Amino acid sequence: MQNFTGVGVSPGRIIGSVRQMPKPISEPPAGERLTAATTPEAATAELRTASKVVQTELQRRAEAATGASKSVLEATALMATDPMLIKAAVKLIVTGTSAERAIWESGASVAEMLHNLGGYMAERATDVLDVRARIVAELRGVTAPGIPQSDEPFVLVAEDLAPADTATLDPNKVLALVTSGGGPQSHTAIIARALGLPAVVAAVGVDALTDGTEVYVDGAAGTLQVDPGDEQRTAVTAWEHVAASLSVFDGTGTTADGHLVPLLANVGGAADAVKAAAAGAEGVGLLRTEFCFLERDTEPTIDEQVVAYRGVFDAFPGKKVVVRTLDAGADKPLPFLTDSTEPNPSLGVRGYRTDLTSPGVLKRQLTAIATAAAASTAVVWVMAPMIATVDEAADFAAMCRVAGLKTPGVMVEVPSAALRSASILTEAEFVSLGTNDLTQYTMAADRQLGTLAALNSPWQPAVLQLIQLTVAGSIAEGHNKPVGVCGEAAADPVLAVVLVGLGVNTLSMTARSMSAVGAVLKSVTLERARELAQIAVSARNSDEARTRVRAELPILEELGL
Amino acid sequence: MSERKATIASRVGLHARPASIFAAAVGELPLEVTISLETDPAEDAMDASSILSLMSLGAANGDVVVLRAEGDGADAALDSLVKILETDLDAE
């Protein structure tokens, strides 16, 4: 039996057959010529046929899509046969260049032109490159890039998934996600947890599996086995029983000895909020407001924003809802706010910093939040992302007060904010740790890079120590100002225990994780959680921290987590 | 040669959805239609059926563009295209 080991990022055990994500289309070699048997006229005709086929396929997908993705697909379909793209390619074919190479070069120059125009156009450059890859795939007679189509549900195996792929992923067709690249905080991991799909990332070698191979995936252990036997089938059945019992959260996050740790939900809109409330969430610990802004060319009006926020507040009457102000930039660019030509967007004008370059957007957003809050009974807190200094925290708090928002807080994602939390908390009423960015900035490791998956773990003792320092800052400040966690770390039931032991007051996560986190938390006393936190912080590295804490929690084995 | 001027009515300018709708409408005509900004010389005019050309034109809300076409039915065709440009397509 062949085994592969990676990092388990979303629990669950299933058996299913593999479908590989098609390989990215390789670049046709520079200088590739038409074969002797092919005339330029024949190659031109082939190119036109291929581009028409791609257009028809994209139009078909546009018809099935709705909203913003529909209009993007419609525009992309038009690009496939666009005279500017095709004419430039035909000119190259006439000089003897192969059709594949010709469309490749033509697409590159069009994409560069759009990129140079900046903003919204620069984002469309990606669409041109996607169209180009599809045309080359059609010319070569290979599968087009994108999530495979299949009638039977399958285990999706890929190098890594991009946000665009995950948006088209049908959770009824995909049983589990396994990637050879990606890290514990990559998009693959985030989407898998949100959809409740078992997932393993950074499993080197899985790209060699052939389509149709039957495999067993354990998303907690981080393993994949080829040709599963009776032992694995039993494990799947056992998991199905556990999953049924784990699907319910009773609505109170607490340790075994009654120390309350409210479990809150991370939501990205009203539909999410309604689901989270039904799943027992004690409030919202992170409302991502980007949902109002993404896929738009211009800023939404205050009235539009008020309606959108009201939808979330009304799902939690009398409960806490923490709103994060717009967090654009880096992996979430917005045409009217962020500069896509920055050489290093993660360290660029993103989050709260966009107020420097586009003043007014944040002020209007705070007005909209305050208006929506005044009309609802939800207890609305507001926090800014990417705060690095006490002055920024003070400025943000002042803006909130002007808007009439009484509980301003900040995210702790930049190590400087963790180190200076005592001073920051003299200005802010609370802090919330964004562990995904805090980890990438502490370890100087890009979240999306599979090769750096080990560095990019929130189990890194350095990250845990920064969390400990943030809590110590709150104690030093002296007014019991709350420290929460709203990153992916809170969704890991084992790490959640460690966070509580470090002194974190609330945990906010994707609603699906609340039952597992609640069950494990309930099995330990606060004193025990503190001991486990100490073990984790004093570990030599992230693996040791995780392994040693897991070994102290027998309930994990029982629950298959 | 027929010629018409049109003021871009779409709030986002002539890209995204408005550009798709306009390029598709030009593509259905049996004529070659060019488009240029009013401020640009006629020889810089681009193929109006190309969404990529339209996007690179960068016509914003309120900009005036010039449409040109030759042949039978050019006048009627251009009139219909002006109507498309002078409607806020993004609002629909």
Side-chain angles (χ1 to χ4, degrees):
Chain A
M1 189 162 30
Q2 209 183 349
N3 293 329
F4 298 88
T5 304
V7 181
V9 292
S10 178
R13 295 170 183 157
I14 61 99
I15 290 175
S17 65
V18 165
R19 291 298 299 265
Q20 288 279 352
M21 184 89 170
K23 296 267 175 294
I25 297 297
S26 62
E27 177 176 351
E32 185 180 76
R33 310 287 293 167
L34 289 171
T35 58
T38 317
T39 62
E41 292 71 29
T44 302
E46 274 173 32
L47 175 63
R48 288 191 190 280
T49 308
S51 69
K52 194 71 209 165
V53 170
V54 169
Q55 179 170 58
T56 310
E57 167 62 17
L58 290 170
Q59 272 165 348
R60 197 186 58 74
R61 288 178 44 186
E63 273 160 30
T66 52
S69 59
K70 186 187 186 76
S71 54
V72 168
L73 281 168
E74 279 170 350
T76 315
L78 279 175
M79 286 176 192
T81 59
D82 193 276
M84 183 191 257
L85 182 70
I86 301 298
K87 275 182 190 161
V90 170
K91 269 188 194 161
L92 291 166
I93 292 175
V94 170
T95 66
T97 305
S98 75
E100 289 88 338
R101 181 70 200 176
I103 192 70
W104 191 269
E105 289 185 14
S106 166
S109 54
V110 170
E112 193 190 345
M113 173 202 82
L114 292 176
H115 186 80
N116 291 340
L117 289 169
Y120 174 84
M121 299 301 170
E123 285 174 53
R124 299 280 78 79
T126 324
D127 301 337
V128 174
L129 296 178
D130 177 55
V131 160
R132 169 179 85 165
R134 286 174 180 280
I135 296 176
V136 172
E138 183 62 31
L139 286 167
R140 286 179 181 164
V142 300
T143 317
I147 292 183
Q149 306 283 319
S150 164
D151 292 335
E152 293 299 311
F154 55 92
V155 173
L156 181 63
V157 178
E159 189 190 334
D160 194 11
L161 295 177
D165 300 322
T166 48
T168 58
L169 189 149
D170 177 358
N172 296 317
K173 283 289 163 59
V174 178
L175 297 168
L177 302 175
V178 181
T179 63
S180 59
Q185 328 218 31
S186 62
H187 282 285
T188 305
I190 293 170
I191 195 86
R193 283 188 208 111
L195 296 174
L197 293 173
V200 178
V201 300
V204 177
V206 290
D207 9 26
L209 290 167
T210 50
D211 278 1
T213 308
E214 189 172 63
V215 295
Y216 165 76
V217 179
D218 184 333
T223 55
L224 180 149
Q225 293 176 353
V226 176
D227 296 331
D230 287 345
E231 191 190 325
Q232 284 75 34
R233 284 177 210 286
T234 312
V236 170
T237 315
W239 167 256
E240 281 163 2
H241 288 295
V242 170
S245 70
L246 268 184
S247 64
V248 192
F249 169 56
D250 65 11
T252 307
T254 176
T255 59
D257 54 338
H259 171 70
L260 294 180
V261 183
L263 301 191
L264 313 170
N266 293 351
V267 305
D272 266 9
V274 170
K275 266 191 236 163
E282 298 175 71
V284 171
L286 170 64
L287 167 59
R288 302 184 171 100
T289 54
E290 293 78 61
F291 75 97
C292 269
F293 294 81
L294 285 175
E295 309 219 9
R296 295 186 61 125
D297 307 313
T298 53
E299 182 190 343
T301 64
I302 290 180
D303 289 347
E304 283 173 295
Q305 293 187 52
V306 170
V307 171
Y309 305 147
R310 268 299 293 278
V312 175
F313 297 169
D314 289 349
F316 286 94
K319 303 252 180 76
K320 178 164 88 171
V321 177
V322 183
V323 184
R324 179 179 69 189
T325 56
L326 188 56
D327 187 20
D331 56 344
K332 290 170 291 200
L334 281 182
F336 54 91
L337 265 186
T338 53
D339 171 8
S340 59
T341 61
E342 274 182 7
N344 207 341
S346 290
L347 303 182
V349 180
R350 57 168 296 203
Y352 175 72
R353 300 167 180 184
T354 54
D355 193 50
L356 294 171
T357 48
S358 310
V361 178
L362 178 58
K363 184 164 168 272
R364 287 186 287 277
Q365 186 181 25
L366 291 173
T367 305
I369 296 168
T371 309
S376 97
T377 62
V379 181
V380 176
W381 295 13
V382 197
M383 62 183 181
M386 285 297 286
I387 292 291
T389 67
V390 178
D391 289 345
E392 286 173 354
D395 290 346
F396 178 71
M399 284 175 84
C400 287
R401 292 199 179 94
V402 168
L405 291 158
K406 292 185 185 65
T407 316
V410 304
M411 299 272 299
V412 172
E413 301 168 283
V414 183
S416 62
L419 294 168
R420 305 293 296 166
S421 66
S423 321
I424 283 178
L425 280 167
T426 60
E427 302 293 345
E429 297 305 315
F430 69 98
V431 294
S432 183
L433 288 142
T435 47
N436 305 356
D437 275 328
L438 182 62
T439 305
Q440 92 162 344
Y441 293 132
T442 302
M443 305 310 294
D446 189 325
R447 278 162 70 170
Q448 306 298 332
L449 284 181
T451 24
L452 303 180
L455 280 178
N456 226 317
S457 162
W459 282 99
Q460 284 287 350
V463 176
L464 299 176
Q465 208 174 338
L466 282 171
I467 295 171
Q468 196 172 38
L469 281 169
T470 307
V471 172
S474 166
I475 294 166
E477 192 275 334
H479 290 86
N480 292 319
K481 292 187 173 177
V483 177
V485 170
C486 64
E488 292 296 305
D492 172 344
V494 191
L495 197 44
V497 169
V498 170
L499 294 172
V500 169
L502 289 171
V504 165
N505 305 108
T506 58
L507 299 171
S508 189
M509 66 204 76
T510 177
R512 276 182 192 272
S513 299
M514 293 186 308
S515 50
V517 170
V520 177
L521 194 57
K522 209 165 267 183
S523 75
V524 292
T525 61
L526 179 59
E527 191 47 44
R528 185 71 183 130
R530 286 183 180 140
E531 288 163 17
L532 296 178
Q534 201 43 52
I535 289 175
V537 172
S538 55
R540 193 180 155 80
N541 57 43
S542 59
D543 274 350
E544 188 187 302
R546 184 167 183 267
T547 314
R548 288 189 56 193
V549 174
R550 287 190 71 94
E552 300 286 331
L553 288 168
I555 189 176
L556 299 173
E557 185 66 25
E558 240 170 81
L559 295 177
L561 291 170
Chain B
M1 172 78 72
S2 305
E3 202 177 292
R4 293 287 186 286
K5 284 186 183 172
T7 308
I8 305 296
S10 289
R11 202 160 47 99
V12 298
L14 192 53
H15 29 93
R17 189 150 176 274
S20 303
I21 295 170
F22 181 73
V26 177
E28 281 165 16
L29 297 171
L31 298 165
E32 289 209 357
V33 182
T34 67
I35 186 167
S36 59
L37 291 174
E38 186 189 30
T39 46
D40 286 347
E43 59 265 30
D44 284 358
M46 292 192 276
D47 186 341
S49 70
S50 160
I51 187 167
L52 295 169
S53 298
L54 295 178
M55 286 166 65
S56 66
L57 190 68
N61 173 282
D63 282 356
V64 177
V65 296
V66 184
L67 301 176
R68 295 183 184 86
E70 210 157 353
D72 284 350
D75 285 309
L78 291 188
D79 286 337
S80 70
L81 293 177
V82 166
K83 251 187 220 134
I84 295 178
L85 292 181
E86 298 199 332
T87 307
D88 184 359
L89 297 166
D90 206 47
E92 287 169 13

